[in-house]
Structure formats: structure tokens, C-alpha cells
Amino acid sequence: MERYDVVIVGGGPAGLAAALGARRAGAKTLLVEREARLGGILKQCIHDGFGLLRFGERLSGCEYAHRYIEMLRGCGAQTALLTFVSRIEKSGEGFVLTLVGREGLRKVEARALVLSTGCRERTARQVSIHGTRPAGVLTAGTAQHYINRMGEMPARRCVILGSGDIGLIMARRLTLEGAQVLGVYEAKPTPSGLSRNISQCLEDFGIPLYTSHTVTRVSGKERLERVTVAEVDARMRPIPGTEQELECDSLILSVGLIPENELAEALGVPLDARTKGPLCDQSYMTLVPGVFVCGNALHVNDLVDYVSESGEAAGAAAARYVPAACGLAEVSADGGFGYVVPQRIDTTKPAGKTTFFFRSLAERGKTRVRMLADGRELCKKTYMQLKPPEMERMVVDLSGAGLHAGSRLTFVMEEADT
């Protein structure tokens, strides 16, 4: 049986960075990817805006992935493409993975695992759209794959449900290819995508955005013929009498992403109900010793640069991992936060600068975020505004916090003086 220090599952941006981090830390590393090429979703992202933080350049997603693939080739990590992980079992102080690929079935052993499995898109059935099952109802990522990788047009006259970033980018992409985008419909009272994408993808192209609206029904036989849209109330329930039918041949869905964590659940890794990803400490180790997580499998990120940052850190930490007892301090937040990651701090690991990611639960003006360690203020930072679609990053030096097992770190939001 082949033995590795670190096995990484998933060859997207997080997995590429994790493999690089593990190899640079001296670990014998295997990167397992189910597709024929590395890069994950970046392979179909031809728009720019990637790499500003990591490389100081505006790269396309393809260029960004290519940079990491070239760095990975030079560091000596092994890869297994067109390979699926069918099973992971705990074995002593390590793990045994059953892999199915071009060479058939084989087993490998790992001292530590990094799960970089990314996320998947919600479908029409998961958001309870009623009606028939015609062709022409597809997710934004699928539409992007058709256009950018296959050279096929999935729509001529379409409606987009959801204002997530992929949906906004596809509204622009479809328009540039000659399709008519009737509008972007968002059930929430505010957009779900980044402000820059609202401006560059919708406003610059005259594409209307309808907030507090949703699609309630799709109609058509073999191909989609029309959708029914309606206004929604504060609880996002359709308001009777506001229905309107729109003739179209496609409905593009951008209604949220769900971290892929079937393998984590199979290993008994506890998940956070808010992020839908694993609970982890400051080194991205889950509550199952030896299992690390990074990228969108942990929580959905706005920028690929942050995905790579967590990937490199998780890979390096996995390379250094040795079984040992840990003492966890819990991280909590008041009601103003959507979530905070990491959710635990291992007090047996060297204290130092720790990066926390968080989202606000609602739009806020000038806001002060305070961090308390067992009730004592450790640090504070003021933000001019907070929006749920825009993830925030806060670096805190924990070296003087005096944390111990059972300590509690608490994040608090309060209105800042204007």
C-alpha cells in the first residue's frame, strides 16, 4: 500500500494551494482529482478579477489556475486525475483511502487528510419551484460551462433567478453572446452578489434587477416556454395577485452554494449549521484529529485569493500534524453575525496572528467589531459598512490572550460613533 504524509481530496484552487503548502513543508503529498484536469471551477472562468491579492495582477480564472498548476509541477507533489475517493477509513493514527480511477481500484494510506472538495449549486427542486420539467432550467455554473468550455449557447431569451455572483456574471456573459436577459430576480430585499458585480454586470448593460421577487412556476413541454414571477413579502412568501408571466426559453439559477462535505460527514466530522462546512480550529483542522479542510468546503468565499490562502495554510498544517491532545477554546458571536470562522482555537498550538473570516447577518452602516477573550476586550476594528454578500477578514494577535481549554472568544457588533 502506498503511504503519504498528506492526501488532498479535490484539485480546485484550494486543493492546488494545499498541495503546494504541504510540499513546501516537506510532506510526501498526493492530490486526488475526479476530473481530467486540475483547476476546478476556474477552468471555465474566463472573466478577470482573480489574483489581485495573491499575485498583484488581474488574471482570468484560467490564468490563475495555470499559475498554481505550474508551481505544483515544480514542487514534486503527486497527482491522481480521473480518480474518485470511494471510501475513507480511520486506521490507527492515520487514514486509508479507497481510490477508483483509470488504474482500477487501489488503496493509499495517509497520516493526514485535507478536504478541498469545494461546493455545489442549489437546484430548482431545492428552492421549490413548481411546474413541469422542461429543458432549459439550469444552474448558472452549468450555463457557464456550456458557453465557455463547450462553445454552446444555452439560452436566447432568459430569466435569471438569484443575484449571486455567478448569476450576475452570466447575465453579462449571455448578453455579450447575443442573448436577451429579461431580468435578474432576487427573493431577498437586497442583492446577494458583490457590489462591483451589480455595477459591472447589470448596470453597465442595462439589465434590470428585481429584488423581493421570485419565480414561482416554470411551464413548457419539451423546452421551457415561460416562467411565472411574483413579488414576495418579508418572509419571502409569494404575494397573491402580483403574478406575472414571462415568455422565455431558459431559466438560469443562481440561488446559493452548498459546501461539499459528504466525505467529511462519513468520517464523523461535525459541521457548522450556519456555514454548512466543518467546525475547525485556527490551523483548519476539524474536530476529527488529522482531518483538515479549506476553501469553499469550509465556507463559501467571495475571492479565490482567500481560498488559496486557507488552502496553503491547511496543507502546511497537515504536513506538520502529529497526533496529540488538544485544548479547545470556543469562538462565538452575537446575533449580528451570519458566521465566524474558525469556530475553535487550539490552545496547545503556538499562539500568534490568527485570521478570522465573518459575514454580517444584515446590511449595517458604520460598525465596530469587538473581540472579547473570557469577557476581556482583546481587540476592536471599525468598518464603514457591512453587507452579507461581502465577507470580511480580521487578523487578531492571540499571543497575549492567555487562552486555555474552555476559554471563550466572543465577537460582538455595535454601532460605531459617526
Side-chain angles (χ1 to χ4, degrees):
M1 185 185 301
E2 298 170 89
R3 290 178 172 80
Y4 295 90
D5 297 319
V6 179
V7 171
I8 298 153
V9 183
L16 288 167
L20 192 63
R23 278 299 301 147
R24 286 175 173 171
K28 183 181 179 183
T29 304
L30 174 66
L31 174 59
V32 181
E33 168 55 43
R34 65 187 179 185
E35 295 189 5
R37 294 174 58 196
L38 298 170
I41 195 67
L42 295 180
K43 297 192 297 291
Q44 64 191 49
C45 296
I46 66 173
H47 55 281
D48 69 1
F50 300 84
L52 288 172
L53 300 180
R54 304 299 287 174
F55 299 112
E57 299 180 55
R58 294 178 64 91
L59 304 173
S60 70
C62 307
E63 291 171 320
Y64 187 95
H66 180 71
R67 293 276 182 99
Y68 265 98
I69 291 169
E70 288 301 304
M71 288 190 288
L72 188 64
R73 284 174 179 164
C75 76
Q78 297 181 42
T79 59
L81 303 179
L82 289 173
T83 301
F84 291 80
V85 177
S86 65
R87 189 174 183 182
I88 303 178
E89 303 168 275
K90 193 79 175 72
S91 175
E93 294 183 343
F95 304 88
V96 174
L97 294 84
T98 302
L99 308 181
V100 181
R102 291 173 292 188
E103 303 162 359
L105 186 146
R106 62 176 173 138
K107 292 190 175 184
V108 299
E109 190 174 46
R111 178 168 49 83
L113 298 176
V114 179
L115 302 179
S116 53
T117 46
C119 55
R120 65 179 184 271
E121 296 177 280
R122 294 184 188 275
T123 66
R125 299 299 162 183
Q126 289 175 300
V127 292
S128 302
I129 299 177
H130 300 287
T132 55
R133 297 173 65 96
V137 180
L138 62 164
T139 65
T142 301
Q144 188 180 58
H145 176 83
Y146 277 129
I147 295 177
N148 293 348
R149 297 194 66 188
M150 298 179 65
E152 300 286 347
M153 271 296 285
R156 291 298 176 187
R157 181 180 169 88
C158 70
V159 168
I160 295 180
L161 176 61
S163 58
D165 289 310
I166 303 176
L168 300 177
I169 289 166
M170 286 312 298
R172 177 180 62 185
R173 187 77 176 97
L174 286 161
T175 300
L176 288 171
E177 290 297 332
Q180 182 183 5
V181 179
L182 301 180
V184 175
Y185 291 81
E186 170 58 59
K188 297 177 184 177
T190 56
S192 298
L194 297 173
S195 299
R196 71 181 189 193
N197 285 332
I198 298 291
S199 173
Q200 296 173 5
C201 299
L202 299 188
E203 295 173 2
D204 287 356
F205 290 85
I207 300 171
L209 170 65
Y210 301 96
T211 54
S212 298
H213 282 73
T214 193
V215 173
T216 59
R217 180 172 291 274
V218 298
S219 305
K221 294 182 179 179
E222 294 186 1
R223 180 79 191 191
L224 181 66
E225 297 171 8
R226 62 188 176 278
V227 299
T228 303
V229 299
E231 295 182 37
V232 298
D233 59 21
R235 298 176 67 180
M236 290 192 284
R237 296 176 303 188
I239 301 173
T242 64
E243 296 88 354
Q244 179 185 4
E245 288 193 349
L246 302 175
E247 292 185 2
C248 58
D249 64 10
S250 297
L251 174 64
I252 310 296
L253 303 173
S254 180
V255 289
L257 302 169
I258 305 171
E260 288 272 18
N261 279 301
E262 284 78 6
L263 289 176
E265 290 182 281
L267 284 166
V269 174
L271 303 185
D272 187 326
R274 295 163 298 178
T275 63
K276 305 297 188 295
L279 298 168
C280 70
D281 67 13
Q282 71 271 36
S283 67
Y284 300 102
M285 188 169 78
T286 70
L287 300 190
V288 173
V291 180
F292 296 76
V293 64
C294 57
N296 287 343
L298 175 59
H299 65 114
V300 178
N301 291 254
D302 300 338
L303 302 177
V304 71
D305 307 74
Y306 293 150
V307 168
S308 297
E309 178 183 323
S310 69
E312 288 188 21
R320 295 190 296 265
Y321 170 72
V322 291
C326 61
L328 296 178
E330 184 176 349
V331 179
S332 62
D334 69 14
F337 291 83
Y339 67 78
V340 176
V341 172
Q343 303 92 340
R344 301 288 188 273
I345 296 296
D346 186 350
T347 59
T348 66
K349 296 176 180 176
K353 290 185 177 180
T354 299
T355 301
F356 292 90
F357 296 95
F358 71 87
R359 290 185 191 271
S360 171
L361 197 59
E363 285 196 8
R364 300 175 61 106
K366 192 174 182 181
T367 302
R368 181 181 300 109
V369 174
R370 301 168 60 221
M371 184 182 189
L372 310 178
D374 294 324
R376 174 174 51 88
E377 184 177 284
L378 191 61
C379 67
K380 60 185 176 182
K381 184 176 180 180
T382 299
Y383 297 85
M384 296 310 296
Q385 66 175 3
L386 294 174
K387 296 182 178 181
E390 298 179 5
M391 188 178 71
E392 301 293 344
R393 182 174 179 273
M394 189 172 178
V395 180
V396 181
D397 188 351
L398 298 178
S399 56
L403 299 177
H404 53 81
S407 287
R408 179 179 289 271
L409 289 170
T410 307
F411 281 83
V412 177
M413 277 190 192
E414 58 188 26
E415 185 176 343
D417 298 331
T418 57

